[in-house]
Amino acid sequence: MTTRETLRALPVLAHPMPSFDPTATPAEPIALFAGWLAEAVDAGVDEPHAMTLSTVDADGAPDARVLILKDLDATGWHFATSSVSAKGWQLATEPRVALSFHWREQGRQVRVRGTARAADPTVSRADFRARPEGSRVATLAGRQSAVLTDRAELDRELSAVRARLTADPDLVAEAHTVYAVAPTTVEFWQADRERRHVRLRYRRTPDGWERELLWP
Ligand SMILES: Cc1cc2nc3c(=O)[nH]c(=O)nc-3n(C[C@H](O)[C@H](O)[C@H](O)COP(=O)(O)O)c2cc1C
């Protein structure tokens, strides 16, 4: 089979999926997202907290990568990364971003557009200290997104950092930064096997959140 034939033979949105009544939704999107996330966890969705963060660079060219959602509160969707990574530099010049979640088992997608703001350094340091040792070592060793000429260089750096962390367990990577994405629009998409998909978009206005249905 050609790649094209293989792709065309793959099923999509063919499995049983929950229904979604967009008229029975809360007035603001964070509560609905929290509900969908809890349902994804309960349904055993794999890595439901993995999301794609899209940014643009200084030339306006888009970029995207997968990150882990670390928290959700009134300030928005939180993630943690290095402020001196590619995305860190991009966020410093253009903080407007998009986040997307795909929960395949439930045929659900959520798209968030908004502005990322770095949390207070005390929050980022506390987040760093709460990470497992392996993650702290990787970040402390990190020049995330810089060119690596030799894998052995990474191994040397990891061993050296592991020794430093053992000697000083309170070491913190100062570039480790928690960002919160304050939403301007949030779209909830529920697939339907008959292709009567439901799209509900929340849009922030000066008077609060507007809810509108979109053509699928
Ligand atoms: C499932 C998964 C989870 C990830 N979680 C994070 C994360 O929470 N923070 C992070 O900086 N990178 C994470 N990464 C790595 C990023 O996708 C990316 O490779 C890295 O952050 C460098 O991105 P940049 O060059 O655009 O800055 C994750 C990758 C995957 C596949």
Side-chain angles (χ1 to χ4, degrees):
M1 281 228 276
T2 64
T3 302
R4 179 183 164 83
E5 285 163 349
T6 304
L7 291 172
R8 292 181 77 103
L10 291 173
V12 62
L13 305 174
H15 54 289
M17 292 172 289
S19 59
F20 172 48
D21 177 1
T23 63
T25 46
E28 53 85 25
I30 290 183
L32 181 55
F33 182 88
W36 274 31
L37 180 64
E39 287 172 27
V41 172
D42 288 348
V45 171
D46 260 348
E47 298 186 350
H49 53 346
M51 60 187 186
T52 299
L53 167 74
S54 301
T55 49
V56 290
D57 69 16
D59 299 325
D63 205 350
R65 78 293 288 154
V66 174
L67 297 183
I68 291 297
L69 176 69
K70 300 213 72 171
D71 201 2
L72 175 74
D73 63 15
T75 63
W77 281 253
H78 297 218
F79 62 88
T81 193
S82 164
S83 60
V84 295
S85 64
K87 76 185 90 48
W89 296 119
Q90 291 163 2
L91 290 169
T93 49
E94 177 48 270
R96 285 176 300 172
V97 299
L99 300 173
S100 44
F101 293 82
H102 175 213
W103 296 321
R104 191 206 67 85
E105 292 84 340
Q106 296 169 306
R108 286 180 168 176
Q109 172 181 245
V110 180
R111 299 163 60 177
V112 179
R113 301 179 79 199
T115 302
R117 287 193 186 82
D120 189 87
T122 53
V123 172
S124 296
R125 287 191 200 116
D127 182 80
F128 183 82
R129 288 200 184 93
R131 301 175 81 209
E133 189 187 292
S135 309
R136 279 181 288 148
V137 169
T139 304
L140 280 163
R143 276 161 278 160
Q144 193 178 55
S145 313
V147 173
L148 176 68
T149 43
D150 181 3
R151 293 277 304 168
E153 188 190 341
L154 173 66
D155 294 336
R156 276 195 303 275
E157 187 71 17
L158 288 175
S159 316
V161 167
R162 204 167 286 118
R164 274 173 55 212
L165 194 61
T166 307
D168 180 2
D170 283 334
L171 266 185
V172 166
E174 291 300 335
H176 178 81
T177 305
V178 173
Y179 295 84
V181 177
T184 50
T185 64
V186 185
E187 184 199 316
F188 295 84
W189 191 95
Q190 173 65 65
D192 172 71
R193 280 159 87 175
E194 308 308 320
R195 293 343 191 214
R196 293 180 70 256
H197 309 311
V198 181
R199 294 180 68 184
L200 174 68
R201 181 171 65 193
Y202 287 76
R203 197 161 42 80
R204 192 191 282 284
T205 73
D207 304 321
W209 289 99
E210 289 276 330
R211 271 169 289 179
E212 51 208 358
L213 293 175
L214 302 176
W215 279 78

